[in-house]
Amino acid sequence: MSATSAPNRSSAAARRTGYVVAVLVNAALLYAISIWPGWEAVPFLTDDTRLVLGWVNASIVVGIAANLVYLVRDTSWLKSLGDVLTTAVGLVALLRIWQVFPFDFGDSSFDWPLVVRILLGLGIVGSIIAILVALFSAVRRR
């Protein structure tokens, strides 16, 4: 490898294995949230969770679809565009969760709502940065 060449991407087999694992993990997560045991089993989620569930599920489904596409066509520019799409849907889900805030931590002496707001804020900022990076990568790799 010369000093000016780009580092090699991981092997195609390793990437495809990662895509399959991502599909399986996301499918299991979707099943756990929507079917069994369901989001209702989480004690700190309120009934308002129903108001954010559509975007959360959409984020998971888009992630599954993107990874299935990568199994068929594994190019770096397509992966970058897929990253833009999956991160954008995830960002909408985070914004909706921020807006609805479907959490009830009871009478805990610890300020869990503040911690969750900080984590959501970091996720939102990180998602915006990730979208910009992926857009730049898609344009550069095209």
Side-chain angles (χ1 to χ4, degrees):
M1 182 165 81
S2 71
T4 59
S5 66
N8 291 332
R9 290 178 70 202
S10 58
S11 74
R15 288 192 311 275
R16 284 191 167 77
T17 299
Y19 302 147
V20 169
V21 169
V23 167
L24 294 174
V25 168
N26 279 317
L29 185 59
L30 188 61
Y31 181 82
I33 291 170
S34 300
I35 299 171
W36 185 85
W39 65 267
E40 297 94 344
V42 181
F44 57 82
L45 292 177
T46 69
D47 286 339
D48 284 346
T49 300
R50 296 177 201 283
L51 301 173
V52 302
L53 208 51
W55 282 109
V56 171
N57 286 343
S59 177
I60 296 168
V61 168
V62 168
I64 290 170
N67 280 287
L68 290 173
V69 168
Y70 305 152
L71 281 170
V72 175
R73 182 155 174 112
D74 185 26
T75 61
S76 57
W77 70 268
L78 182 62
K79 176 82 170 63
S80 294
L81 287 178
D83 289 347
V84 170
L85 179 62
T86 57
T87 307
V89 176
L91 174 60
V92 173
L94 286 171
L95 290 168
R96 185 68 176 144
I97 292 168
W98 178 283
Q99 179 185 38
V100 173
F101 205 74
F103 306 103
D104 181 4
F105 299 104
D107 295 330
S108 175
S109 61
F110 189 78
D111 196 356
W112 284 111
L114 176 63
V115 171
V116 172
R117 288 276 187 195
I118 290 169
L119 292 173
L120 285 170
L122 289 172
I124 290 166
V125 171
S127 294
I128 293 167
I129 293 168
I131 290 168
L132 294 173
V133 169
L135 281 171
F136 178 76
S137 292
V139 169
R140 191 185 77 208
R141 292 176 177 167
R142 188 71 173 120

